[in-house]
């Protein structure tokens, strides 16, 4: 994956090539879409499929334009909201969908102050040579987020370019959106989150050393570090772990503060993954955990023996859940 930085007085961007076709070596322009694309959910996927199809039809580069850091930081909040898809995961999903290039715009106060016209002229037309734009129903650019499709497309047409706006995608009781997926995860509705995402929700990160308490109890765990990602409520979950590209490994994870040993919960929530029927040294490796079903709440036990008994029961439950999952 190549990265090509560009700078101007009002903005900075990075171009990341997601396939073997190097955009910098081509004379053709781009078909582009704009957004944060957190989750790369079913609605995003519809936009990206339209993007890729339009780029192939025109023999242009399929480009997704996104932002870093999260705009909420520049808008005055102390920290960005927890993400559904860390950048590494987002890139992998976009590559699978056929995106040629990801352009990351450094979101600054200066970029925020650009009018929709200046954004289209300086970034889409002059910098990226966007010939056609695919816009989601909720796409907004420019100062005050005043640049929606009804504003962007006429500006593009003034420069001899074209654009189109896609309708929103609904599922069940409402729109498919990152906000709705976050609400589902925060309420432990793992099934709804998976339906809206078009795949199961996955926690990803690097394995770090913990207190090795799981190994002492006979159930070694990998402590998964995913500090920027949205965690579901504390509890025990069945799912599949993926390690260095291996096929999915049945696993069970505890998310929480381990109240049996940490009465105050002062250490904050942790993600501890136990592989079922496998033993691997995962320290310093990257690991993903695909959540399938919540088994129970996290709770404090009267002693270590009671905790071990419950962990054994959790493993049996996880086996049954995942066995049925494979059948389905």
């Amino acid at each position: 994956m190549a990265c090509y930085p560009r700078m101007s007085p009002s903005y900075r961007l990075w171009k990341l090539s997601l396939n073997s076709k190097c955009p910098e070596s081509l004379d053709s322009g781009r078909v582009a879409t704009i957004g944060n694309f957190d989750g790369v959910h079913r609605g995003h996927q519809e936009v990206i499929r339209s993007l890729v199809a339009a780029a192939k039809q025109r023999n242009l580069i399929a480009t997704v334009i996104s932002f870093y850091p999260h705009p909420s930081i520049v808008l005055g909040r102390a920290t960005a909201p927890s993400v559904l898809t860390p950048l590494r995961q987002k890139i992998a999903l976009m590559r699978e969908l056929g995106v040629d290039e990801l352009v990351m715009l450094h979101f600054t106060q200066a970029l925020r102050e650009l009018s929709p016209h200046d954004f289209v002229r300086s970034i889409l037309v002059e910098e990226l040579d966007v010939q056609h734009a695919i816009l989601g129903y909720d796409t907004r650019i420019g100062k005050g987020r005043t640049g929606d499709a009804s504003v962007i497309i006429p500006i593009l047409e003034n420069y001899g370019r074209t654009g189109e706006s896609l309708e929103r995608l609904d599922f069940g009781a409402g729109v498919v959106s990152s906000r709705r997926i976050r609400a589902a995860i925060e309420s432990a509705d793992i099934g709804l989150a998976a339906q809206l995402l078009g795949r199961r929700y996955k926690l990803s990160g690097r394995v770090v050393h913990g207190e090795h308490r799981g190994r002492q109890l006979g159930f070694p765990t990998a402590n998964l570090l995913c500090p920027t990602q949205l965690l579901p409520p504390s509890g025990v979950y069945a799912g599949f772990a993926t390690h260095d590209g291996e096929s999915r490994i049945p696993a069970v994870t505890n998310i929480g503060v381990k109240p049996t040993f940490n009465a105050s919960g002062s250490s904050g929530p942790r993600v501890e993954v136990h592989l079922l029927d496998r033993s691997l040294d995962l320290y310093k490796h990257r690991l993903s955990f695909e959540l399938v079903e919540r088994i129970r709440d996290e709770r404090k036990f009267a002693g270590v023996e009671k905790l071990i008994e419950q962990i054994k029961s959790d493993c049996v439950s996880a086996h049954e859940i995942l066995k049925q999952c494979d059948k389905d």
Side-chain angles (χ1 to χ4, degrees):
M1 179 177 66
C3 180
Y4 308 95
R6 290 287 185 272
M7 296 184 69
S8 85
S10 58
Y11 65 87
R12 179 171 50 175
L13 60 79
W14 296 264
K15 300 175 184 176
L16 292 84
S17 177
L18 303 190
N19 64 23
S20 58
K21 179 169 60 178
C22 177
E24 290 293 298
S25 69
L26 300 176
D27 295 327
S28 59
R30 291 169 169 83
V31 175
T33 188
I34 308 166
N36 277 314
F37 292 92
D38 189 22
V40 194
H41 55 60
R42 289 175 58 198
H44 295 149
Q45 292 163 31
E46 288 297 311
V47 173
I48 291 173
R49 289 190 186 100
S50 296
L51 168 79
V52 171
K56 286 182 178 178
Q57 184 181 37
R58 293 167 172 79
N59 195 32
L60 300 176
I61 301 165
T63 299
V64 171
I65 301 170
S66 195
F67 303 95
Y68 179 85
H70 195 282
S72 63
I73 296 177
V74 179
L75 295 176
R77 300 176 194 168
T79 58
S82 297
V83 300
L84 300 172
T85 45
L87 182 58
R88 184 187 296 259
Q89 190 182 137
K90 184 186 294 187
I91 288 171
L93 290 167
M94 289 186 175
R95 181 183 287 119
E96 289 173 8
L97 289 165
V99 174
D100 295 322
E101 177 187 57
L102 174 63
V103 171
M104 298 298 294
L105 274 171
H106 186 203
F107 195 85
T108 62
Q109 189 65 35
L111 182 66
R112 179 194 177 195
E113 292 297 317
L114 282 181
S115 69
H117 182 274
D118 287 343
F119 187 104
V120 172
R121 175 187 54 80
S122 62
I123 297 175
L124 299 190
V125 175
E126 295 177 356
E127 178 66 45
L128 298 175
D129 190 19
V130 172
Q131 297 293 318
H132 185 72
I134 303 288
L135 305 173
Y137 78 96
D138 59 347
T139 298
R140 298 289 187 278
I141 64 169
K143 186 174 181 178
R145 302 182 76 246
T146 53
D148 61 9
S150 69
V151 173
I152 297 169
I153 292 173
I155 299 173
L156 284 169
E157 291 173 346
N158 286 339
Y159 289 98
R161 319 299 167 104
T162 55
E164 62 183 289
S165 178
L166 303 184
E167 295 182 0
R168 78 180 207 176
L169 178 66
D170 288 338
F171 178 85
V175 64
V176 177
S177 68
S178 300
R179 179 176 296 180
R180 190 176 171 201
I181 294 167
R182 284 194 184 90
I185 292 168
E186 288 170 346
S187 63
D189 194 342
I190 304 304
L192 177 59
Q195 289 176 313
L196 296 173
L197 285 165
R199 64 186 184 281
R200 294 190 181 93
Y201 186 57
K202 184 183 292 185
L203 299 173
S204 302
R206 188 168 296 280
V207 176
V208 298
H209 276 308
E211 299 167 348
H212 304 288
R213 188 167 279 124
R215 187 173 300 279
Q216 295 166 11
L217 298 175
F219 298 92
T221 60
N223 292 272
L224 189 59
L225 185 64
C226 38
T228 65
Q229 199 166 0
L230 179 66
L231 299 181
S234 295
V236 177
Y237 295 80
F240 294 100
T242 304
H243 157 62
D244 286 352
E246 279 196 26
S247 58
R248 297 181 308 167
I249 304 169
V252 61
T253 188
N254 184 85
I255 298 174
V257 298
K258 301 184 294 185
T260 302
F261 302 102
N262 179 30
S264 66
S266 57
S267 64
R270 296 187 181 185
V271 180
E272 297 182 311
V273 181
H274 171 65
L275 305 181
L276 300 173
D277 307 324
R278 291 287 297 274
S279 178
L280 293 172
D281 182 7
L282 299 173
Y283 177 57
K284 289 187 178 179
H285 288 265
R286 297 198 66 83
L287 185 73
S288 295
F289 182 79
E290 180 183 300
L291 286 92
V292 172
E293 187 175 318
R294 193 167 194 254
I295 297 174
R296 63 172 176 86
D297 293 339
E298 186 181 47
R299 62 180 185 269
K300 183 176 181 178
F301 292 89
V304 171
E305 291 77 12
K306 291 289 185 181
L307 174 59
I308 292 173
E309 184 180 325
Q310 182 61 57
I311 294 175
K312 289 179 179 178
S313 176
D314 294 339
C315 290
V316 171
S317 297
H319 268 298
E320 292 303 313
I321 290 168
L322 300 177
K323 189 185 300 181
Q324 186 60 43
C325 176
D326 282 339
K327 289 179 182 178
D328 297 339

